[in-house]
Amino acid sequence: VSTQSTGMFNSEIMISLLVLLGVAATTVIADDYKCTTVNGIEGACDLMFYQQTYAGSRLSGCGAYGSMYFWSGISATACTYATQDKTITQQLEMGIRFFDFDVGYIHPSEESLPYWEAGPVLVSVGSTATAYSRSLKKALQEIKTFMDANRDSVVSMRIKRYYPQTTEIRDHLIRTLKPTFDSVFGDDGVQPTFYFTLKPLSYMVESNERMVLYLARDFWGRQESDFRAASWTNVFETPENVYGYSNCHNPNQLSEDIVHMDGINKRNVPLCVNWWITSSQCVSSSGPVCTDTAANDLKIVAQKVLDGTHLDRGVNFVLADYVSDKYVGVVQEINRKAVAYYKNRPW
């Protein structure tokens, strides 16, 4: 796995969860399913994974299950800690295809409150405290159920940070993440894939290997390389903590900064655009500014990235607070245009 820094994000390495899960290269047993659409987009079967854009929700599980709680058991303020107001299933039904999770860990001996489950748990981290949502397993079960019922769905997921950042919590997560995924995905139905950069989307859909997962290197242990691993180190990502032109206020300036990123023409290195603002406002008030009000400006960014990169690379992931139908609709419009665009400009 390359550890070369992109120079525009931190040094944290994100690696595909596939190796952690112990997924071996096996012969795919194909069924009779034939790809006709991908995530509802006709003509996308012939495209590559990185020739489509995946609408994402930032901290997807925070607010998805209602109230969150501090470690003390006191209810956390939704205005500060919640980033979504729809369940994982509702997000999937509206078209969200990129899930973003930060996680903590609850030891079985600490499972004292009825809304906490032992094991990896979804968290939202504020400036002074961490709010706990529900278990990672609960979110995975919703994703697996939806994907098994919707064969054309291709979904990506990342687990980016853990809290608190202690060796004890990291070791607990390394020990429990694989059993958590194994207990949900097993051997039947949709499976993780390590072909996503090599095969067309039709292969992913027809082989039922339709989930692309990334994990922080801290969860990796001592295994630092594998032919199946994908590294988040080389993902181009717009700043998370800039209030101003970045994160939707000025799409033209944002586009200019993207196309001037060092190495941006590497079209097999995905681009993640953080379509949300950092401010002192209540997230539920500031979130819709990007997600809904400025949703159409995403089209400006997508087109300028295509026009400004000589290898015709596009925006691959978008992350937003309080996802809306309008936001997803704009991403789907970008994807429909990409079908015609890449038909005339094949990689």
Side-chain angles (χ1 to χ4, degrees):
V1 175
S2 170
T3 57
Q4 181 181 1
S5 174
T6 62
M8 37 76 59
F9 187 44
N10 61 42
S11 60
E12 180 182 23
I13 295 179
M14 302 297 293
I15 299 179
S16 171
L17 184 59
L18 300 170
V19 179
L20 179 71
L21 296 180
V23 179
T26 57
T27 301
V28 176
I29 301 176
D31 56 21
D32 294 331
Y33 188 89
K34 296 300 180 184
C35 182
T36 57
T37 61
V38 178
N39 292 330
I41 302 297
E42 294 183 0
C45 296
D46 295 331
L47 299 184
M48 306 296 286
F49 180 79
Y50 288 152
Q51 291 177 321
Q52 287 280 272
T53 303
Y54 303 87
S57 54
R58 181 173 75 103
L59 297 178
S60 309
C62 294
Y65 299 103
S67 298
M68 292 181 290
Y69 297 87
F70 298 124
W71 190 253
S72 63
I74 298 174
S75 179
T77 306
C79 187
T80 304
Y81 292 93
T83 53
Q84 307 300 331
D85 60 359
K86 297 175 177 62
T87 68
I88 299 298
T89 298
Q90 288 172 335
Q91 293 179 43
L92 285 159
E93 289 173 343
M94 71 188 302
I96 295 301
R97 293 295 182 266
F98 181 44
F99 290 91
D100 172 46
F101 298 126
D102 287 353
V103 294
Y105 178 81
I106 295 178
H107 193 275
S109 65
E110 299 165 332
E111 191 183 7
S112 58
L113 299 176
Y115 40 79
W116 282 358
E117 301 96 343
V121 61
L122 308 179
V123 299
S124 175
V125 179
S127 58
T128 59
T130 297
Y132 292 78
S133 181
R134 300 297 298 273
S135 68
L136 172 65
K137 182 175 182 178
K138 187 175 182 67
L140 296 179
Q141 288 171 331
E142 291 189 58
I143 293 171
K144 172 79 159 57
T145 298
F146 177 88
M147 293 187 73
D148 281 343
N150 295 269
R151 184 60 180 270
D152 84 328
S153 59
V154 173
V155 172
S156 189
M157 180 195 308
R158 73 177 185 185
I159 301 177
K160 185 176 181 180
R161 304 181 181 93
Y162 63 93
Y163 298 93
Q165 292 184 341
T166 65
T167 300
E168 179 184 6
I169 295 299
R170 181 199 64 189
D171 290 347
H172 279 311
L173 289 168
I174 290 173
R175 178 178 55 81
T176 57
L177 277 173
K178 180 183 184 301
T180 298
F181 274 83
D182 285 347
S183 68
V184 174
F185 287 92
D187 297 322
D188 298 324
V190 63
Q191 295 295 309
T193 177
F194 49 84
Y195 291 114
F196 65 95
T197 60
L198 304 175
K199 301 282 188 176
L201 287 166
S202 59
Y203 179 90
M204 297 174 65
V205 171
E206 291 172 3
S207 66
N208 215 10
E209 296 181 332
R210 297 178 282 122
M211 178 176 285
V212 179
L213 304 109
Y214 302 90
L215 192 70
R217 183 180 180 180
D218 270 335
F219 299 132
W220 192 261
R222 295 183 178 274
Q223 298 176 351
E224 297 181 357
S225 64
D226 192 281
F227 74 97
R228 296 164 293 182
S231 174
W232 196 263
T233 300
N234 291 329
V235 171
F236 300 104
E237 185 168 2
T238 60
E240 296 184 356
N241 58 351
V242 177
Y243 182 85
Y245 73 82
S246 190
N247 305 37
C248 89
H249 271 307
N250 189 331
N252 292 301
Q253 182 64 59
L254 178 59
S255 303
E256 282 295 308
D257 279 9
I258 290 172
V259 299
H260 286 99
M261 288 177 177
D262 185 29
I264 190 64
N265 278 296
K266 297 176 181 177
R267 59 193 180 190
N268 281 326
V269 178
L271 168 64
C272 179
V273 173
N274 290 303
W275 201 248
W276 47 275
I277 39 181
T278 300
S279 73
S280 58
Q281 301 178 52
C282 178
V283 179
S284 60
S285 299
S286 62
V289 173
C290 286
T291 310
D292 202 65
T293 306
N296 281 319
D297 288 344
L298 266 175
K299 291 184 283 189
I300 296 174
V301 177
Q303 189 60 51
K304 284 184 175 292
V305 170
L306 282 175
D307 293 342
T309 53
H310 71 270
L311 291 182
D312 302 317
R313 66 96 23 81
V315 173
N316 305 113
F317 305 122
V318 185
L319 284 174
D321 293 335
Y322 288 91
V323 293
S324 67
D325 289 326
K326 181 178 179 181
Y327 160 69
V328 173
V330 167
V331 173
Q332 289 296 74
E333 182 179 344
I334 292 170
N335 283 328
R336 284 189 289 271
K337 290 182 177 179
V339 172
Y341 185 91
Y342 288 118
K343 183 178 181 179
N344 296 323
R345 299 171 179 82
W347 285 4

